[in-house]
Amino acid sequence: MPEIIFNGPAGRLEGRYQPSKQKSAPIAIILHPHPQFGGTMNNQIVYQLFYMFQKRGFTTLRFNFRGIGRSQGEFDHGAGELSDAASALDWVQSLHPDPKSCWVAGYSFGAWIGMQLLMRRPEIEGFMAVAPQPNIYDFSFLAPCPSSGLIINGDSDKVAPEKDVNGLVDKLKAQKGILITHKTVPGANHFFNGQIENLMAECEDYLDRRLNGELTPEPAAKRIR
């Protein structure tokens, strides 16, 4: 798996990149948890998500946000990290200018950054938000959420309580033209200790169904005159 260094807004960013053999393959970017709480691109869930997309023929990138590993810069409370993610997507697109589609997956803090990237980049047509934290981070920018995707969390998560995640899901599900799929991993905490296999089974099932053309939103009902 090639180690790469690319330019970000605060200096060089370190990543792991796996190009697909197909020129027009879809792109997936994976975003890691909070840099100040041990989050890196080598987090086990981030690695498993990367491998899941790679196995399905995606051109796949995970990278360290600024200030982590060999990435330059300092933690910027989300604003800079969003710019890092945008630069990462730019970098992949410069090498693969005609992808079939583009996906973003993020875990915890990375889910919050990923959803903001989704709002900025209309080419992103699928997302996975693993253990998002609407109790800590503001997700009100998803008005409306532009793409269909998966939100998945554990029902024993004390960091991002289930009721808060359910509130976010309910808001997004009320929107027309997209389909939000919500899965809960029984017994899983925020770190999915002992539950990563179950988490990945749900993510793989969701991705396979999307790639097979399932899980498309129903068209908005026509107004009766």
Side-chain angles (χ1 to χ4, degrees), residues 25 27 136 143 162 197:
I27 288 170
I136 296 172
E162 191 177 20
E197 269 188 35

Short mmCIF file of all heavy atoms in Angstrom, two decimals, residues 25 27 136 143 162 197:
data_model
loop_
_atom_site.label_atom_id
_atom_site.label_comp_id
_atom_site.label_asym_id
_atom_site.label_seq_id
_atom_site.Cartn_x
_atom_site.Cartn_y
_atom_site.Cartn_z
N ALA A 25 -12.60 4.21 -11.82
CA ALA A 25 -13.11 3.60 -10.59
C ALA A 25 -13.63 4.68 -9.64
O ALA A 25 -13.15 5.82 -9.64
CB ALA A 25 -12.00 2.81 -9.90
N ILE A 27 -14.05 6.74 -6.14
CA ILE A 27 -13.08 7.19 -5.13
C ILE A 27 -13.72 7.08 -3.75
O ILE A 27 -14.91 7.38 -3.59
CB ILE A 27 -12.68 8.65 -5.40
CG1 ILE A 27 -11.79 8.75 -6.65
CG2 ILE A 27 -11.97 9.29 -4.20
CD1 ILE A 27 -11.56 10.19 -7.13
N ILE A 136 -22.00 16.63 20.68
CA ILE A 136 -20.80 17.46 20.84
C ILE A 136 -20.63 18.41 19.66
O ILE A 136 -20.28 19.58 19.84
CB ILE A 136 -19.54 16.56 20.97
CG1 ILE A 136 -19.64 15.74 22.27
CG2 ILE A 136 -18.25 17.39 20.96
CD1 ILE A 136 -18.55 14.70 22.41
N ALA A 143 -28.72 20.85 5.97
CA ALA A 143 -30.06 21.38 5.74
C ALA A 143 -30.16 21.93 4.32
O ALA A 143 -29.93 23.11 4.12
CB ALA A 143 -30.37 22.48 6.76
N GLU A 162 -27.11 7.19 22.28
CA GLU A 162 -28.00 6.73 21.21
C GLU A 162 -29.12 7.73 20.94
O GLU A 162 -29.50 7.96 19.79
CB GLU A 162 -28.57 5.36 21.60
CG GLU A 162 -29.29 4.68 20.46
CD GLU A 162 -29.79 3.29 20.83
OE1 GLU A 162 -29.93 2.99 22.04
OE2 GLU A 162 -30.07 2.53 19.90
N GLU A 197 -16.06 -6.54 13.99
CA GLU A 197 -16.55 -7.46 12.93
C GLU A 197 -18.02 -7.19 12.61
O GLU A 197 -18.41 -7.17 11.44
CB GLU A 197 -16.37 -8.92 13.37
CG GLU A 197 -15.03 -9.49 12.95
CD GLU A 197 -14.94 -10.99 13.21
OE1 GLU A 197 -15.97 -11.70 13.07
OE2 GLU A 197 -13.84 -11.44 13.55
#
